[in-house]
Amino acid sequence: MQTMREPTYFTLAALLDGPLHGYAITKRAETVSDGRVRLTAGTLYSALDRLLGQGLVEVDGEEVVDGRARRYYRLTSSGRRALEAEAARLADAAAVVVSRMSAAPEPAA
Amino acid sequence: MSAAERAYRLALRAYPADYRRERGPEILATLAEMQGGRPVPDAGELGGLVAAGMGERGRRVTGGDRAGMWAEGCALGALLLLLLAATASAYALSWDIWYGRLGMGWPIGDDAPPPLAAAGLARVLTATLLPLAAAFAICRGRRLVALAAPLAATALYLSGMVGFAGAVGYQTWTPGQSWLENAYRLGTATFLAAPAALLWVAGRSGARRAARRSLAWLALPAVLAVLHLAYWATTVTFWPLGALVLAWFLAGRWSPHLAVAAFGVAVPVLVFILPTALAAPEYEYAVAVASGAAVIALASLLSALAFAPDTELGRPPV
């Protein structure tokens, strides 16, 4: 499986705790990334379209709030697996460096 | 409706119409929540909508295959440049016929080849038909033929045997002169060679196959030539007119191609043609090129947005 893009990764990560609608996904993604990832609506819906197409996310339901339709999205089981695989890959990539940092000599200034 | 929502609705037009009908209300609802009553639209959101909308159009053309998108853009850019080259040459041919001046040298530009009736006709026909043949080959998906023709045209031009019209009007390479003296005529050489370079890139991009295109594209030179005659202008009005017709073509029937085509035209213009064209000594050339460049700069901005890759994981935060 190819590397997951950052907006995709954090969109999935935002849905780990349960179904959310578009705006809530952007807020959650911002929170879980310590404010680093700010999804624009364009990026968010491109990512959601792709994820819906791949079956990693599905529509959970709709409700109307203040006259506007909200659509909720939830992680599918294959979406959860893909997210876990990507997290493991990132952890492995980090471990390559972290485990050797203490042993490696400090570069001369 | 607030000013912010009006702006967002306008930016949503970057998406294909049916996508807008399907998803537009939901996207607008999300934007309204993000906006939280602030009157001024967020520039980042506007840019994001245009980029994602163009990206969606590009995906529809190439089925989401990014390599295919680049290949499609390159091939389409090559096709358009070849059609523009054929038009400029055909336009000069029409002047020759109008004035009965075939064989008396080129009616426009000051690089006149020696007067030889049959050879003169052969030259103009070569300059017109060679790019047209390459354009036909692209439409039929024959990449190798399409690549060979512009290379042959460039070789003929640099040998001084055939004059070609490029972005800056008719030019004939003068073999007796040094490269430095010929420097401002390099614009046409790069104009002729650019389609070959683009097709080479398209072939290397790992795209599945060269796409076949409607032969209706070959009608574009006729439309351009009629516009030229209507304006009774010289070839220096070529770029603005070309951009106008192109915009009409793309905005209408081929609107899904807009993102890829803008990219395909912007790359050769910015990389190959503009620098050499601006080095041309004639004032009116510079004016024509500048006005054309304004349109092309806009096209390249849109395409840059459409082709900007998403942030990859692992890139250090700036």
Side-chain angles (χ1 to χ4, degrees), chain A residues 5 21 41 45 49 70 73, chain B residues 19 23 26 30 33 45:
Chain A
R5 299 204 179 98
H21 71 290
Y45 283 97
D49 288 339
R70 274 182 181 177
Y73 298 90
Chain B
Y19 185 98
R23 300 282 259 172
E26 188 188 350
T30 299
E33 281 191 86
E45 290 293 345

Side-chain angles (χ1 to χ4, degrees), chain A residues 65-87:
Chain A
V65 177
D66 294 338
R68 290 186 188 275
R70 274 182 181 177
R71 190 173 286 163
Y72 285 79
Y73 298 90
R74 95 173 146 242
L75 216 51
T76 63
S77 53
S78 65
R80 183 177 286 272
R81 278 199 302 278
L83 184 60
E84 275 168 3
E86 181 66 12

